[in-house]
Short mmCIF file of all heavy atoms in Angstrom, two decimals:
data_model
loop_
_atom_site.label_atom_id
_atom_site.label_comp_id
_atom_site.label_asym_id
_atom_site.label_seq_id
_atom_site.Cartn_x
_atom_site.Cartn_y
_atom_site.Cartn_z
N ALA A 63 -12.06 -25.61 -33.53
CA ALA A 63 -11.45 -24.45 -32.87
C ALA A 63 -11.61 -23.19 -33.72
O ALA A 63 -11.81 -22.10 -33.18
CB ALA A 63 -9.97 -24.72 -32.59
N GLN A 89 -11.33 -15.07 -54.71
CA GLN A 89 -10.55 -14.03 -55.38
C GLN A 89 -10.73 -12.66 -54.73
O GLN A 89 -10.01 -11.72 -55.06
CB GLN A 89 -10.93 -13.96 -56.86
CG GLN A 89 -10.57 -15.23 -57.62
CD GLN A 89 -11.20 -15.27 -59.00
OE1 GLN A 89 -10.71 -14.65 -59.93
NE2 GLN A 89 -12.29 -16.00 -59.13
N TRP A 103 -4.19 -33.10 -46.49
CA TRP A 103 -4.33 -32.38 -47.75
C TRP A 103 -5.74 -31.85 -47.92
O TRP A 103 -6.72 -32.45 -47.47
CB TRP A 103 -3.98 -33.31 -48.91
CG TRP A 103 -4.20 -32.67 -50.25
CD1 TRP A 103 -5.25 -32.87 -51.09
CD2 TRP A 103 -3.35 -31.71 -50.87
NE1 TRP A 103 -5.11 -32.10 -52.22
CE2 TRP A 103 -3.95 -31.38 -52.11
CE3 TRP A 103 -2.14 -31.11 -50.52
CZ2 TRP A 103 -3.38 -30.46 -52.99
CZ3 TRP A 103 -1.58 -30.20 -51.40
CH2 TRP A 103 -2.19 -29.89 -52.61
N VAL A 108 -4.98 -26.01 -53.67
CA VAL A 108 -4.98 -25.78 -55.12
C VAL A 108 -5.78 -24.53 -55.44
O VAL A 108 -5.33 -23.65 -56.19
CB VAL A 108 -5.56 -26.99 -55.87
CG1 VAL A 108 -5.63 -26.71 -57.38
CG2 VAL A 108 -4.73 -28.23 -55.60
N ASP A 130 9.70 -27.80 -56.13
CA ASP A 130 10.57 -27.13 -57.10
C ASP A 130 9.86 -25.97 -57.79
O ASP A 130 10.49 -24.99 -58.19
CB ASP A 130 11.05 -28.12 -58.17
CG ASP A 130 12.13 -29.05 -57.63
OD1 ASP A 130 12.60 -28.80 -56.51
OD2 ASP A 130 12.48 -30.01 -58.33
N ARG A 166 2.07 -11.24 -54.96
CA ARG A 166 2.79 -11.12 -56.24
C ARG A 166 3.31 -12.46 -56.70
O ARG A 166 3.28 -12.78 -57.90
CB ARG A 166 3.93 -10.11 -56.09
CG ARG A 166 3.46 -8.66 -56.05
CD ARG A 166 4.59 -7.71 -55.74
NE ARG A 166 4.16 -6.32 -55.83
CZ ARG A 166 4.84 -5.30 -55.35
NH1 ARG A 166 6.01 -5.51 -54.75
NH2 ARG A 166 4.39 -4.06 -55.47
N LEU A 168 1.96 -15.35 -55.97
CA LEU A 168 0.79 -16.14 -56.38
C LEU A 168 0.26 -15.70 -57.74
O LEU A 168 -0.41 -16.48 -58.43
CB LEU A 168 -0.32 -15.99 -55.33
CG LEU A 168 -0.11 -16.78 -54.04
CD1 LEU A 168 -1.08 -16.32 -52.96
CD2 LEU A 168 -0.28 -18.27 -54.29
N ASN A 170 2.00 -15.18 -60.31
CA ASN A 170 2.84 -15.74 -61.36
C ASN A 170 2.10 -16.87 -62.08
O ASN A 170 1.71 -17.86 -61.46
CB ASN A 170 4.13 -16.28 -60.72
CG ASN A 170 5.11 -16.80 -61.76
OD1 ASN A 170 4.77 -16.99 -62.93
ND2 ASN A 170 6.34 -17.05 -61.33
N PHE A 179 -4.04 -29.65 -64.45
CA PHE A 179 -3.88 -30.76 -65.38
C PHE A 179 -4.61 -30.42 -66.69
O PHE A 179 -5.69 -30.95 -66.95
CB PHE A 179 -4.47 -32.05 -64.79
CG PHE A 179 -3.65 -32.65 -63.70
CD1 PHE A 179 -3.88 -32.32 -62.37
CD2 PHE A 179 -2.64 -33.57 -63.97
CE1 PHE A 179 -3.14 -32.88 -61.35
CE2 PHE A 179 -1.89 -34.14 -62.96
CZ PHE A 179 -2.14 -33.80 -61.64
N PHE A 189 1.12 -32.43 -64.35
CA PHE A 189 1.60 -33.70 -64.87
C PHE A 189 3.13 -33.69 -65.00
O PHE A 189 3.80 -34.66 -64.64
CB PHE A 189 0.94 -33.98 -66.22
CG PHE A 189 1.32 -35.32 -66.82
CD1 PHE A 189 0.96 -36.49 -66.19
CD2 PHE A 189 2.04 -35.38 -68.01
CE1 PHE A 189 1.31 -37.72 -66.74
CE2 PHE A 189 2.38 -36.61 -68.56
CZ PHE A 189 2.03 -37.78 -67.92
N GLN A 191 5.12 -31.83 -63.22
CA GLN A 191 5.68 -31.80 -61.87
C GLN A 191 5.77 -33.23 -61.30
O GLN A 191 6.75 -33.58 -60.63
CB GLN A 191 4.83 -30.92 -60.94
CG GLN A 191 4.64 -29.49 -61.40
CD GLN A 191 5.94 -28.76 -61.65
OE1 GLN A 191 6.95 -29.01 -61.00
NE2 GLN A 191 5.93 -27.85 -62.61
N LEU A 193 6.05 -36.03 -63.10
CA LEU A 193 7.12 -36.74 -63.82
C LEU A 193 8.50 -36.29 -63.35
O LEU A 193 9.41 -37.11 -63.20
CB LEU A 193 6.98 -36.52 -65.32
CG LEU A 193 5.75 -37.15 -65.99
CD1 LEU A 193 5.76 -36.85 -67.48
CD2 LEU A 193 5.69 -38.64 -65.74
N LEU A 196 9.23 -37.94 -60.09
CA LEU A 196 9.61 -39.34 -60.28
C LEU A 196 11.03 -39.45 -60.84
O LEU A 196 11.80 -40.32 -60.44
CB LEU A 196 8.62 -40.03 -61.22
CG LEU A 196 7.19 -40.21 -60.67
CD1 LEU A 196 6.26 -40.73 -61.76
CD2 LEU A 196 7.20 -41.17 -59.48
N PRO A 201 17.49 -44.05 -59.63
CA PRO A 201 18.70 -44.41 -58.87
C PRO A 201 20.00 -44.23 -59.65
O PRO A 201 20.82 -45.12 -59.73
CB PRO A 201 18.45 -45.89 -58.55
CG PRO A 201 17.67 -46.38 -59.72
CD PRO A 201 16.77 -45.23 -60.13
N HIS A 202 20.16 -43.08 -60.29
CA HIS A 202 21.42 -42.80 -60.95
C HIS A 202 21.59 -41.30 -61.09
O HIS A 202 20.68 -40.51 -60.83
CB HIS A 202 21.51 -43.49 -62.32
CG HIS A 202 20.27 -43.35 -63.16
ND1 HIS A 202 19.80 -42.15 -63.61
CD2 HIS A 202 19.43 -44.30 -63.63
CE1 HIS A 202 18.71 -42.35 -64.33
NE2 HIS A 202 18.46 -43.63 -64.36
N ASP A 203 22.77 -40.89 -61.50
CA ASP A 203 23.12 -39.48 -61.58
C ASP A 203 22.27 -38.75 -62.62
O ASP A 203 21.88 -39.33 -63.65
CB ASP A 203 24.60 -39.35 -61.95
CG ASP A 203 25.06 -37.91 -61.90
OD1 ASP A 203 25.30 -37.41 -60.78
OD2 ASP A 203 25.17 -37.28 -62.97
N TRP A 228 -3.66 -39.79 -70.84
CA TRP A 228 -4.73 -40.76 -70.59
C TRP A 228 -5.92 -40.44 -71.46
O TRP A 228 -5.98 -39.40 -72.05
CB TRP A 228 -5.18 -40.77 -69.13
CG TRP A 228 -5.39 -39.42 -68.58
CD1 TRP A 228 -6.43 -38.55 -68.83
CD2 TRP A 228 -4.53 -38.71 -67.69
NE1 TRP A 228 -6.27 -37.39 -68.17
CE2 TRP A 228 -5.13 -37.47 -67.45
CE3 TRP A 228 -3.32 -39.03 -67.07
CZ2 TRP A 228 -4.53 -36.52 -66.61
CZ3 TRP A 228 -2.76 -38.08 -66.25
CH2 TRP A 228 -3.36 -36.85 -66.02
#
Side-chain angles (χ1 to χ4, degrees):
Q89 295 169 80
W103 176 259
V108 176
D130 285 351
R166 285 173 175 165
L168 285 166
N170 184 347
F179 287 92
F189 183 64
Q191 304 305 328
L193 293 180
L196 292 172
H202 45 63
D203 186 78
W228 46 73

